[in-house]
Amino acid sequence: MRVPDYISPVVAYRAWQLDANGLRSLSGQPWHPGRSLAAACRASVRGAAHDVHDAPQMTCTCGIYAAKSHADLRTAGYAGFGIHGEVYLWGTVVEHELGWRAQYACPKNFFLPLEMLPVSMSMLEPRLKALAAFGCDIHLIGRKGNMPLWVKGSGYELTALDLLVQRGKSWYAVRQEERRIKRGDRVAILGRGIALVEHVNDKHAHVLLWNRNVLRISRKEIVWDEQNMRWELNLLARLKANGKT
Ligand SMILES: [Zn+2]
């Protein structure tokens, strides 16, 4: 069997992971803007198989993988794992039933399923920036279908961007509401155990300790601990601040 060498690129479909480090293959291989990805053979890294420059080979499993269509990507089981989009494949390209293994690839466009994106704009912004650096059109897959998010030559599309901003805002509002200390909440007090909030006003919270003692503490001293997912009061810090230790 002959390995065909494509002069004009094949357009295929694939999935990536998009995180704080940028765009990567699901296997972890980073993709960089402004340059094509060249396949390397892992088998040859281990000293077997064939020359590293000759990926992909007919008899090997190396090469940059892409499906023939979005439907094939789904069939192969990769559609639910990240963002996806079209890619150009060229150089040596080995054809399979559902897709290709190629020597070179670069992204053509990106499709971002809404549920794959972080809701917080502070987390989303660096990801979008990393993606826009590729200079390919970016589409958002929302509940009402696809819409352009970033278009080559004109930048962000307001409708899609606004959708993301609003989504971030309502998420933030819900979080803020959850974060407002209220009667019945538990507060971990270092050295005293867990207390139950009995009453809250603008300035103070009255908390009930296990020994039925009630403490009045300033709301400023109660902090939400993200790691432990609970309210906490550091009494030792307070005593130190008052010079009582
Ligand atoms: Zn190989």
Side-chain angles (χ1 to χ4, degrees), residues 41 43 50 60 62:
C41 182
H50 55 89
C60 197
C62 53

Side-chain angles (χ1 to χ4, degrees), residues 4-236:
D5 204 339
Y6 289 86
I7 303 297
S8 56
V10 174
V11 175
Y13 212 86
R14 61 167 290 132
W16 291 272
Q17 48 181 320
L18 175 65
D19 57 32
N21 298 314
L23 187 70
R24 288 183 293 146
S25 296
L26 296 181
S27 64
Q29 167 90 51
W31 289 56
H32 301 285
R35 56 180 147 123
S36 54
L37 182 70
C41 182
R42 291 225 174 77
S44 58
V45 169
R46 291 195 301 265
H50 55 89
D51 190 276
V52 67
H53 302 292
D54 293 338
Q57 295 274 307
M58 230 27 213
T59 53
C60 197
T61 54
C62 53
I64 302 153
Y65 283 63
K68 287 180 179 171
S69 66
H70 188 205
D72 287 338
L73 189 74
R74 265 203 302 268
T75 307
Y78 293 113
F81 288 97
I83 69 162
H84 26 98
E86 288 181 300
V87 277
Y88 292 117
L89 307 176
W90 71 97
T92 303
V93 178
V94 180
E95 185 171 5
H96 290 266
E97 193 189 339
L98 296 178
W100 318 86
R101 286 189 287 126
Q103 189 176 9
Y104 300 107
C106 78
K108 179 174 185 265
N109 52 39
F110 297 110
F111 288 87
L112 317 183
L114 204 53
E115 68 275 13
M116 291 289 164
L117 302 177
V119 275
S120 137
M121 283 309 279
S122 62
M123 284 179 77
L124 188 54
E125 264 178 38
R127 286 162 172 77
L128 292 181
K129 205 176 161 193
L131 217 51
F134 283 86
C136 313
D137 290 351
I138 305 171
H139 304 267
L140 197 63
I141 310 177
R143 277 178 218 102
K144 291 172 189 163
N146 294 356
M147 61 173 89
L149 172 62
W150 190 91
V151 179
K152 192 180 177 176
S154 66
Y156 285 107
E157 292 283 316
L158 284 182
T159 311
L161 194 61
D162 193 50
L163 187 146
L164 290 175
V165 170
Q166 292 309 322
R167 179 174 171 256
K169 272 186 188 162
S170 53
W171 170 80
Y172 188 73
V174 167
R175 296 268 290 190
Q176 285 299 96
E177 193 50 45
E178 284 170 355
R179 289 295 170 71
R180 194 162 297 146
I181 191 162
K182 55 192 180 299
R183 185 184 156 84
D185 279 358
R186 277 157 211 282
V187 185
I189 302 178
L190 198 65
R192 306 289 282 273
I194 302 288
L196 199 61
V197 177
E198 275 214 320
H199 173 77
V200 188
N201 61 31
D202 288 346
K203 288 207 173 90
H204 297 99
H206 296 242
V207 300
L208 185 66
L209 290 163
W210 63 275
N211 58 10
R212 312 313 290 174
N213 282 348
V214 174
L215 268 185
R216 192 185 74 158
I217 43 187
S218 164
R219 283 183 60 174
K220 277 188 230 150
E221 291 181 299
I222 307 170
V223 291
W224 176 258
D225 186 275
E226 188 66 42
Q227 209 169 352
N228 293 328
M229 295 295 285
R230 65 180 188 192
W231 298 105
E232 292 191 351
L233 171 71
N234 193 333
L235 265 187
L236 287 179

